[in-house]
Amino acid sequence: MERIYKSMKSVGAGNIALGIIMIITGVTAGIMTIIGGAKLLRDKSDITF
């Protein structure tokens, strides 16, 4: 029984760590997308076809 609790503890800690990493990655990707879009909007007058 104690072995199950130890296994659950390690899996739970891993899931929390993975969740934090995913949140950080998502926020970073969102910020990079916003910055890229702002640069495109700022420089759209320089584009000629």
Side-chain angles (χ1 to χ4, degrees):
M1 199 65 151
E2 185 177 332
R3 185 174 161 197
I4 294 172
Y5 287 119
K6 286 184 180 181
S7 175
M8 289 173 62
K9 181 180 176 183
S10 65
V11 170
N15 284 341
I16 290 172
L18 184 62
I20 291 170
I21 291 169
M22 289 178 70
I23 288 171
I24 292 170
T25 303
V27 169
T28 303
I31 290 171
M32 289 173 62
T33 303
I34 290 170
I35 291 171
K39 285 182 181 180
L40 284 173
L41 287 175
R42 184 185 64 204
D43 297 336
K44 72 178 180 179
S45 63
D46 296 337
I47 298 174
T48 56
F49 291 100

